[in-house]
Amino acid sequence: MNIEEALVILDTFLEHGLSDVQEIIFRKAWEGQTYPDIAESCGYDANYIKDVGSKLWKLLSQAFGEEVTKSNFRSVLRRRGLQRALPTQNSVLSEKLQPVPAVLRQSQPTSRAKDGISGSSLTIEKQDERKTPAPNPDFLENPGGSVPLNSFFYIERPPIEERTYTEINKPGSLIRIKAPSKMGKTSLMHRILTHAKQTGVHTVQIGLQRADSQVFTSLDKFLRWFCANISRQLNLEIRLDDYWDEDIGSKVSCTLYLQEYVLEKIDAPVVLALDEVNQIFEYPEISRDFLPLLRSWYEDASELEIWQKLRLVVVHATEAYMPLDINQSPFNVGLPIKLPEFSLEQMQDLAVRHGLDWAKGEKGLEKLALLRAMIGGHPYLARLALYNLGNQTVTLEQLLQEAPTIAGIYSNYLRHHLANLQEHPELAIALKRVVTSPTSVQLEAIAAYKLESMGLVKLEGNQAMPSCDLYQLYFQEQLT
């Protein structure tokens, strides 16, 4: 959904539409700008913009019958666009909705009488009584990989998105996103990069999982690969040999290449996002030099103006396996973001987006609590469950009964983990201890961190426990 489509949907809910200032704030907030940014760019007093913005979210909350904030208004609009589409036979509004994606126009139509009581308790009560549109299998999104930028099924986790959007606007900033596998790290990273692009900065994304194995044979090869990738994505000529000097070493050569060539050459700041940084932990001879190098660039921004043009996003599943000097680690500086599991309310929101009418209200929460007990609030496991429930290929009762078995919807996902464990017997032994113990278990540090990065255990120090019932039940059976 883009901003114009969102404004069309707003017009169907608001009796008198938005004022000029409200529309400015709505548009700028959609782009991820903060109130001070909006005030500065539009020439208004910051307190005035904040006051109008606060009243705007209250107005939308009243119109939609649910809390609307600067952090969640995009997701509310996407959901309402699907669930509250106006009748297409209304010719005037039909013309306005032509640019809206077909999925919004195909939603079950509902009526909204503009009778002067918009936003009243009566209107809200009637909205709550409406049925969610019947699931459309063509619309439901098969989960896998990162969630697309325009996906109706992306669930925000306030205030995380807003905090990262604000932070990435700061010169020389560093954001660290940590979470186990398939928790939404890359999805959030893509949204940070998209926000950054909208502010006019350059973006570079480097996924370490895509590097050939030979890249990791030496620090020199890795840093040359690293710099070449940055140059290509910025459409700069690759000039490694002009700056590389074996007498001063690879780290200094890499630093000079970025400082004296890349950052000098580009006309705007650059956001450098490093995805799956934990991949490098498997190569201690590289990571013990590269990770402190990242830290040094971040610290250089406080002294050298040129380094303020570099903003870093570091995405990782766990901390480094090997100990790093506290003054050299990039994992204790910048803005730390630890992605949480979905709350029960967020799972309910996602269930409603999948067209599951039974998930509404207190009774819906009670049913979803059973699902959450099985899978935790793991975003991928939740999306996979709701996708199958939305397609009506399985009932909730059947899903819960079969979840930890080879007949369940998670069988392929669980077999993938099992295969990894079988290739690493030391991890299988460690996990077996965890899932068969009635209390948390102390594990050797490397095994604990690797199991955490796979998402199979939760850690408190070196004390490990199963992440959810699904893993405990399945691996109790498979690892005996």
Side-chain angles (χ1 to χ4, degrees), residues 117-136:
I117 58 172
S118 171
S120 70
S121 59
L122 177 59
T123 301
I124 294 172
E125 182 179 348
K126 288 182 178 179
Q127 289 179 352
D128 290 341
E129 291 174 356
R130 292 169 180 157
K131 296 290 185 181
T132 300
N136 180 353

Side-chain angles (χ1 to χ4, degrees), residues 383-411:
R383 287 195 67 200
L384 188 58
L386 297 173
Y387 172 77
N388 281 272
L389 291 169
N391 271 320
Q392 300 179 350
T393 59
V394 66
T395 65
L396 178 61
E397 293 73 17
Q398 182 183 359
L399 187 154
L400 292 172
Q401 183 177 359
E402 297 179 347
T405 73
I406 59 175
I409 64 169
Y410 300 117
S411 58

